[in-house]
Amino acid sequence: MTRSTTRSLPRLRLLMLSTALTAIGVALAPTGAMAQAPGTFTVSSATDNGAGTTAGTLSFAIAHANLSPGSTINFTTANVTLTGPLPAITANVTLNGAGATISGQNANRVFFVTGGSVAINNVNIVNGKAAGGAGNDGGGGGMGAGGAIFVAGGSVTLNTV
């Protein structure tokens, strides 16, 4: 009996390790680099710190849409106030604002697009800010353009923005 128990301990440890790795893999899936099927994400939160970790926030919707090219983001809140910068948009996505107002509070850039084909519909973007860079090694600083929408890559289509 002791011998049998001793032999089953490695199997038990292997099973526990396998279960732990599966749990970690599932926990990391939303933030991993693996593309997923397009989805629909809803913005229902009126404030957003830009972390992308809270369901219902615009940053969460953008972070998950980046992993699911072709996704749609719909707004059910009338206003979104940014208390931190949003993640860059890197994939094909359609944002349907339903007349919502997104405010950068004169402290945060609202949208930064680095890739994909992005459509932004029926949204008001106010008080966005993009700070210019401080020049290094004798170079001049950047002009800080694009407080509302800055497109560094991809393409953006605006409709009633």
Side-chain angles (χ1 to χ4, degrees):
M1 186 154 191
T2 304
R3 186 173 232 171
S4 166
T5 304
T6 305
R7 285 185 180 163
S8 65
L9 280 178
R11 288 184 188 149
L12 179 62
R13 286 183 185 143
L14 182 60
L15 177 62
M16 289 172 52
L17 177 61
S18 174
T19 302
L21 290 175
T22 301
I24 290 169
V26 170
L28 295 179
T31 58
M34 188 181 268
Q36 301 169 12
T40 300
F41 304 97
T42 301
V43 178
S44 56
S45 179
T47 58
D48 193 335
N49 66 7
T53 56
T54 304
T57 62
L58 180 55
S59 61
F60 180 90
I62 290 171
H64 285 74
N66 283 340
L67 296 175
S68 308
S71 291
T72 300
I73 298 173
N74 295 319
F75 288 67
T76 60
T77 183
N79 298 301
V80 175
T81 301
L82 302 179
T83 60
L86 292 172
I89 298 172
T90 62
N92 298 348
V93 64
T94 299
L95 289 98
N96 296 314
T101 297
I102 305 169
S103 174
Q105 294 196 94
N106 295 312
N108 300 291
R109 172 182 285 133
V110 179
F111 293 119
F112 185 42
V113 180
T114 61
S117 178
V118 180
I120 303 175
N121 303 308
N122 199 20
V123 67
N124 302 302
I125 302 171
V126 299
N127 302 322
K129 179 180 181 182
N136 301 0
D137 301 322
M143 68 177 178
I149 303 171
F150 187 82
V151 182
S155 63
V156 176
T157 302
L158 305 175
N159 181 24
T160 317
V161 176

